[in-house]
Amino acid sequence: MLRKFLIPTAVVVLSGLSMGKAAVAAPTPMSSPLMPYVQAAESQYEKLNINTATADQIAVAMIGVGKSKAENIVKFREQLGGFKNIDQLLEVKGIGQRTLDKNRDRLTIE
């Protein structure tokens, strides 16, 4: 009796799994001239150097940072003569602790 129940149930479950996989579309890769900078920022080995990156590179690589905030970072960096530590980003208008925390692992100062 248990066999009569388990075999049809297994068939339904397994067919549902295979159908579910077929229905899921593969992610589409993003294409952008700035894509290498995003990949570098997401890599655990290569990080975005905020002392040399352009505003466009910063805007693409940092979570929650658009063109305007990225330009503020570059202006502040120029006035400062370069960042000495990543926490100095908190002094940039528009960059708060949450934004810094989301991006800390993506950034470096060299």
Side-chain angles (χ1 to χ4, degrees):
M1 180 160 166
L2 185 59
R3 185 179 226 181
K4 287 182 181 181
F5 173 74
L6 288 179
I7 292 175
T9 303
V11 170
V12 169
V13 169
L14 292 175
S15 66
L17 288 177
S18 65
M19 287 176 57
K21 283 186 180 179
V24 175
T28 306
M30 291 181 4
S31 178
S32 165
L34 299 174
M35 194 61 188
Y37 303 109
V38 174
Q39 290 172 343
E42 291 177 350
S43 168
Q44 61 180 325
Y45 302 107
E46 296 180 45
K47 297 182 177 188
L48 181 74
N49 184 342
I50 59 171
N51 276 332
T52 59
T54 66
D56 287 335
Q57 293 167 345
I58 293 170
V60 169
M62 289 183 68
I63 299 168
V65 174
K67 182 74 170 175
S68 178
K69 287 182 187 177
E71 288 171 352
N72 288 345
I73 291 171
V74 171
K75 286 178 189 173
F76 185 81
R77 175 183 75 201
E78 290 169 354
Q79 292 172 353
L80 192 64
F83 291 99
K84 306 268 186 286
N85 64 62
I86 293 175
D87 289 323
Q88 286 180 306
L89 280 171
L90 293 172
E91 299 175 43
V92 177
K93 181 180 179 181
I95 305 296
Q97 188 66 49
R98 284 178 43 184
T99 301
L100 180 60
D101 290 343
K102 289 178 188 176
N103 291 288
R104 186 178 297 277
D105 294 338
R106 298 168 170 258
L107 304 174
T108 189
I109 299 170
E110 295 178 6

